[in-house]
Amino acid sequence: MKNISIFRHQIKAPVGRIGLLAVLVLSGCAGVNYVQAKYQGLPSVEFVGTSGTNYRIVDNQAESRLLIGPGLAGSATQNFVKGFSNGSGLGVTPPVVFRDVAEEYLKSTGKRCETRDVTLVVDPYYEVRYKCSLRSPRMAF
């Protein structure tokens, strides 16, 4: 439990720290430890995909990894409606959706990257690894 407390205090998300922490706590310690090791201290951003769905994204640029999960705005309503139509409590989103969101997000930041692997880390958070072939114009010296 001590690791969770450290994680909660060191993540630099402007909103929704507690929501992300709650999801991670409910999903087990292994996922929490992994997320803490890879994303601790990195800020999260809210991103709206072309489908209009909100996502929370944490970019670990040093390791070329994105942690992507549902965003705060509208996620409860979206999941309820999706779950209601599917007959379950939560909607199931296939990994390809997170890959597409990662590509949209990276493009929106000016990076020229391709996505590699999509891995479920802690339901409903996926990690997408990416590789950038060219340096971003914003990062050029």
Side-chain angles (χ1 to χ4, degrees), residues 32-47:
V32 172
N33 290 338
Y34 180 82
V35 170
Q36 182 179 8
K38 299 295 181 186
Y39 298 97
Q40 179 177 347
L42 299 175
S44 68
V45 296
E46 290 287 316
F47 178 76

Side-chain angles (χ1 to χ4, degrees), residues 11-28:
I11 191 168
K12 294 181 181 179
V15 290
R17 285 189 284 207
I18 297 171
L20 177 60
L21 179 64
V23 168
L24 297 175
V25 168
L26 293 173
S27 299

Side-chain angles (χ1 to χ4, degrees), residues 36-59:
Q36 182 179 8
K38 299 295 181 186
Y39 298 97
Q40 179 177 347
L42 299 175
S44 68
V45 296
E46 290 287 316
F47 178 76
V48 180
T50 56
S51 66
T53 304
N54 295 314
Y55 296 92
R56 181 175 305 154
I57 300 177
V58 182
D59 188 356

